[in-house]
mmCIF file of all heavy atoms in Angstrom:
data_model
loop_
_atom_site.group_PDB
_atom_site.id
_atom_site.type_symbol
_atom_site.label_atom_id
_atom_site.label_comp_id
_atom_site.label_asym_id
_atom_site.label_seq_id
_atom_site.Cartn_x
_atom_site.Cartn_y
_atom_site.Cartn_z
ATOM 1 N N MET A 10 3.608 7.058 -3.047
ATOM 2 C CA MET A 10 3.656 6.872 -1.578
ATOM 3 C C MET A 10 5.012 6.279 -1.159
ATOM 4 O O MET A 10 5.077 5.196 -0.640
ATOM 5 C CB MET A 10 2.508 5.960 -1.142
ATOM 6 C CG MET A 10 1.133 6.463 -1.564
ATOM 7 S SD MET A 10 -0.173 5.241 -1.251
ATOM 8 C CE MET A 10 0.199 3.963 -2.448
ATOM 9 N N SER A 11 6.087 6.922 -1.385
ATOM 10 C CA SER A 11 6.363 8.214 -1.983
ATOM 11 C C SER A 11 6.607 8.098 -3.491
ATOM 12 O O SER A 11 6.699 6.994 -4.010
ATOM 13 C CB SER A 11 7.622 8.800 -1.340
ATOM 14 O OG SER A 11 8.772 8.006 -1.706
ATOM 15 N N TRP A 12 6.776 9.253 -4.152
ATOM 16 C CA TRP A 12 7.056 9.219 -5.582
ATOM 17 C C TRP A 12 8.423 8.585 -5.833
ATOM 18 O O TRP A 12 8.673 8.009 -6.904
ATOM 19 C CB TRP A 12 6.972 10.606 -6.198
ATOM 20 C CG TRP A 12 8.060 11.565 -5.803
ATOM 21 C CD1 TRP A 12 7.998 12.518 -4.833
ATOM 22 C CD2 TRP A 12 9.361 11.680 -6.395
ATOM 23 N NE1 TRP A 12 9.189 13.210 -4.770
ATOM 24 C CE2 TRP A 12 10.030 12.717 -5.717
ATOM 25 C CE3 TRP A 12 10.032 10.999 -7.421
ATOM 26 C CZ2 TRP A 12 11.341 13.101 -6.031
ATOM 27 C CZ3 TRP A 12 11.333 11.377 -7.733
ATOM 28 C CH2 TRP A 12 11.973 12.411 -7.057
ATOM 29 N N LEU A 13 9.309 8.638 -4.839
ATOM 30 C CA LEU A 13 10.629 8.020 -4.982
ATOM 31 C C LEU A 13 10.518 6.509 -5.117
ATOM 32 O O LEU A 13 11.216 5.892 -5.927
ATOM 33 C CB LEU A 13 11.502 8.388 -3.770
ATOM 34 C CG LEU A 13 11.831 9.872 -3.634
ATOM 35 C CD1 LEU A 13 12.231 10.198 -2.205
ATOM 36 C CD2 LEU A 13 12.933 10.258 -4.596
ATOM 37 N N SER A 14 9.630 5.906 -4.340
ATOM 38 C CA SER A 14 9.454 4.463 -4.455
ATOM 39 C C SER A 14 8.765 4.108 -5.774
ATOM 40 O O SER A 14 9.052 3.068 -6.373
ATOM 41 C CB SER A 14 8.655 3.913 -3.265
ATOM 42 O OG SER A 14 7.322 4.348 -3.301
ATOM 43 N N THR A 15 7.888 4.981 -6.244
ATOM 44 C CA THR A 15 7.234 4.749 -7.534
ATOM 45 C C THR A 15 8.272 4.727 -8.651
ATOM 46 O O THR A 15 8.221 3.879 -9.550
ATOM 47 C CB THR A 15 6.186 5.844 -7.805
ATOM 48 O OG1 THR A 15 5.273 5.892 -6.712
ATOM 49 C CG2 THR A 15 5.426 5.581 -9.089
ATOM 50 N N ARG A 16 9.213 5.642 -8.586
ATOM 51 C CA ARG A 16 10.312 5.653 -9.564
ATOM 52 C C ARG A 16 11.103 4.348 -9.510
ATOM 53 O O ARG A 16 11.480 3.798 -10.552
ATOM 54 C CB ARG A 16 11.236 6.841 -9.278
ATOM 55 C CG ARG A 16 12.428 6.951 -10.221
ATOM 56 C CD ARG A 16 13.294 8.131 -9.854
ATOM 57 N NE ARG A 16 13.899 7.969 -8.536
ATOM 58 C CZ ARG A 16 14.630 8.921 -7.944
ATOM 59 N NH1 ARG A 16 14.798 10.101 -8.535
ATOM 60 N NH2 ARG A 16 15.170 8.711 -6.762
ATOM 61 N N THR A 17 11.337 3.849 -8.289
ATOM 62 C CA THR A 17 12.081 2.605 -8.126
ATOM 63 C C THR A 17 11.310 1.433 -8.726
ATOM 64 O O THR A 17 11.891 0.582 -9.415
ATOM 65 C CB THR A 17 12.369 2.346 -6.640
ATOM 66 O OG1 THR A 17 13.115 3.447 -6.109
ATOM 67 C CG2 THR A 17 13.168 1.071 -6.454
ATOM 68 N N TYR A 18 10.006 1.373 -8.482
ATOM 69 C CA TYR A 18 9.177 0.324 -9.087
ATOM 70 C C TYR A 18 9.273 0.382 -10.616
ATOM 71 O O TYR A 18 9.444 -0.654 -11.278
ATOM 72 C CB TYR A 18 7.709 0.493 -8.681
ATOM 73 C CG TYR A 18 7.312 -0.246 -7.435
ATOM 74 C CD1 TYR A 18 7.234 0.395 -6.203
ATOM 75 C CD2 TYR A 18 6.969 -1.593 -7.481
ATOM 76 C CE1 TYR A 18 6.845 -0.272 -5.051
ATOM 77 C CE2 TYR A 18 6.579 -2.280 -6.344
ATOM 78 C CZ TYR A 18 6.522 -1.612 -5.131
ATOM 79 O OH TYR A 18 6.128 -2.293 -3.993
ATOM 80 N N TYR A 19 9.132 1.558 -11.170
ATOM 81 C CA TYR A 19 9.152 1.726 -12.623
ATOM 82 C C TYR A 19 10.464 1.219 -13.207
ATOM 83 O O TYR A 19 10.494 0.500 -14.209
ATOM 84 C CB TYR A 19 8.937 3.196 -12.974
ATOM 85 C CG TYR A 19 8.796 3.459 -14.455
ATOM 86 C CD1 TYR A 19 7.595 3.218 -15.108
ATOM 87 C CD2 TYR A 19 9.873 3.939 -15.203
ATOM 88 C CE1 TYR A 19 7.460 3.461 -16.469
ATOM 89 C CE2 TYR A 19 9.751 4.169 -16.564
ATOM 90 C CZ TYR A 19 8.547 3.929 -17.188
ATOM 91 O OH TYR A 19 8.423 4.150 -18.537
ATOM 92 N N GLU A 20 11.564 1.573 -12.546
ATOM 93 C CA GLU A 20 12.880 1.159 -13.022
ATOM 94 C C GLU A 20 13.066 -0.353 -12.905
ATOM 95 O O GLU A 20 13.503 -1.015 -13.855
ATOM 96 C CB GLU A 20 13.971 1.887 -12.232
ATOM 97 C CG GLU A 20 15.379 1.579 -12.709
ATOM 98 C CD GLU A 20 16.431 2.395 -11.989
ATOM 99 O OE1 GLU A 20 16.074 3.175 -11.078
ATOM 100 O OE2 GLU A 20 17.614 2.252 -12.343
ATOM 101 N N HIS A 21 12.742 -0.903 -11.727
ATOM 102 C CA HIS A 21 12.898 -2.350 -11.523
ATOM 103 C C HIS A 21 12.066 -3.136 -12.539
ATOM 104 O O HIS A 21 12.557 -4.089 -13.159
ATOM 105 C CB HIS A 21 12.450 -2.744 -10.111
ATOM 106 C CG HIS A 21 13.448 -2.453 -9.036
ATOM 107 N ND1 HIS A 21 14.790 -2.330 -9.253
ATOM 108 C CD2 HIS A 21 13.278 -2.272 -7.691
ATOM 109 C CE1 HIS A 21 15.416 -2.090 -8.121
ATOM 110 N NE2 HIS A 21 14.518 -2.045 -7.154
ATOM 111 N N ILE A 22 10.793 -2.765 -12.684
ATOM 112 C CA ILE A 22 9.898 -3.517 -13.559
ATOM 113 C C ILE A 22 10.384 -3.471 -15.011
ATOM 114 O O ILE A 22 10.431 -4.495 -15.700
ATOM 115 C CB ILE A 22 8.454 -2.996 -13.431
ATOM 116 C CG1 ILE A 22 7.882 -3.368 -12.057
ATOM 117 C CG2 ILE A 22 7.570 -3.546 -14.545
ATOM 118 C CD1 ILE A 22 6.542 -2.726 -11.743
ATOM 119 N N ASN A 23 10.761 -2.303 -15.469
ATOM 120 C CA ASN A 23 11.188 -2.196 -16.859
ATOM 121 C C ASN A 23 12.518 -2.892 -17.123
ATOM 122 O O ASN A 23 12.702 -3.524 -18.179
ATOM 123 C CB ASN A 23 11.242 -0.733 -17.287
ATOM 124 C CG ASN A 23 9.887 -0.221 -17.740
ATOM 125 O OD1 ASN A 23 9.401 -0.606 -18.799
ATOM 126 N ND2 ASN A 23 9.272 0.611 -16.926
ATOM 127 N N LYS A 24 13.436 -2.837 -16.187
ATOM 128 C CA LYS A 24 14.705 -3.549 -16.367
ATOM 129 C C LYS A 24 14.495 -5.057 -16.401
ATOM 130 O O LYS A 24 15.141 -5.769 -17.179
ATOM 131 C CB LYS A 24 15.678 -3.169 -15.255
ATOM 132 C CG LYS A 24 16.324 -1.799 -15.434
ATOM 133 C CD LYS A 24 17.354 -1.523 -14.349
ATOM 134 C CE LYS A 24 18.087 -0.209 -14.614
ATOM 135 N NZ LYS A 24 19.099 0.084 -13.564
#
Side-chain angles (χ1 to χ4, degrees):
M10 304 171 291
S11 67
W12 70 263
L13 295 159
S14 68
T15 305
R16 179 181 64 185
T17 301
Y18 269 99
Y19 186 79
E20 183 175 2
H21 281 336
I22 290 171
N23 275 289
K24 283 184 175 180

